[in-house]
Amino acid sequence: MASTLTQGPVAVIKVHEHTYNIHKDLICACSAYFERALQIQNEDTLTLENVEPRVFERFVEWLYTGELPETWTNVDEMLGAVVFGHWYMAPLFHVEVHNVTVDYLVGKKVAPSDGCVDIALVFEELSEEHALRELLVELECLYGALILDESMFPGEFVRLVAASIEERGIGWEAELEACDFHVHGSAEEKWACVLEARDRI
């Protein structure tokens, strides 16, 4: 991030028992939510509800370094960060975490119903068009059980999996491409993503 954004006043963000001192200009430049709360309303202290401290710490690390951890394997943390970026209107963070999460889930090749993914979080907090919903359904169809107990999983997830299996039949096989579920800022970006995937083959 630009060094000029880390030279101004500091805001205090409280998440549960944790307190974070973050440069106002920096966090406001990356999130419309914080811009409105800190600059427009002229606040210096905010308390965030329903945010896990570790997820917020990932956001703060990204703010100051512009990077996500290279060896990030905690799926719940990743999904929490995707939801955080969505809730708090931080589009660049949201996209980066989303794409890293997609890469990880496609690489694992396991069914979400095996307990490796917080399915409820994705289906309750992200929009119907969000690519992570579609990815979880595809992973379940490829690697999961044929019948899911609707009392254990979100009803919409169960129905989408059943409809997909009915449409394509049992024994359907495919190799998922992470790029198909990435968020791309432009056609050029998507093409670069495709070429990078081909280079890895």
Side-chain angles (χ1 to χ4, degrees), residues 113-199:
S113 62
D114 287 348
C116 67
V117 179
D118 189 344
I119 301 169
L121 181 69
V122 172
F123 275 78
E124 289 170 8
E125 304 300 342
L126 299 176
S127 66
E128 291 182 6
E129 299 79 25
H130 203 285
L132 272 180
R133 285 174 165 233
E134 182 185 354
L135 175 58
L136 295 192
V137 170
E138 292 292 306
L139 287 169
E140 190 64 36
C141 289
L142 286 172
Y143 308 116
L146 296 179
I147 301 175
L148 293 172
D149 184 348
E150 194 163 337
S151 67
M152 298 177 62
F153 304 102
E156 186 181 357
F157 173 71
V158 174
R159 288 189 291 275
L160 288 172
V161 169
S164 183
I165 290 175
E166 183 177 350
E167 178 184 342
R168 291 183 286 204
I170 296 172
W172 170 77
E173 293 183 6
E175 188 70 28
L176 294 182
E177 295 289 344
C179 187
D180 292 337
F181 302 93
H182 283 166
V183 176
H184 302 100
S186 64
E188 291 80 11
E189 206 175 282
K190 182 169 185 176
W191 182 240
C193 187
V194 171
L195 291 178
E196 183 181 336
R198 287 180 182 173
D199 289 342

Side-chain angles (χ1 to χ4, degrees), residues 70-114:
E70 289 185 11
T71 56
W72 199 5
T73 59
N74 188 319
V75 180
D76 287 341
E77 230 176 67
M78 291 178 184
L79 292 175
V82 172
V83 170
F84 175 89
H86 176 68
W87 278 351
Y88 290 94
M89 295 177 279
L92 294 179
F93 178 72
H94 177 80
V95 168
E96 285 195 39
V97 176
H98 167 87
N99 289 346
V100 165
T101 304
V102 165
D103 289 343
Y104 184 73
L105 290 175
V106 169
K108 277 185 73 72
K109 295 185 178 181
V110 295
S113 62
D114 287 348

Side-chain angles (χ1 to χ4, degrees), residues 1-11 21-32 34-35 38-39 59-66 90 92:
M1 296 294 172
S3 59
T4 56
L5 297 177
T6 59
Q7 295 175 357
V10 169
N21 297 308
I22 303 171
H23 289 90
K24 275 176 119 173
D25 290 344
L26 179 62
I27 197 169
C28 291
C30 297
S31 162
F34 290 106
E35 180 184 28
L38 295 169
Q39 289 189 336
F59 176 60
V60 174
E61 290 168 9
W62 176 85
L63 281 177
Y64 283 95
T65 67
L92 294 179

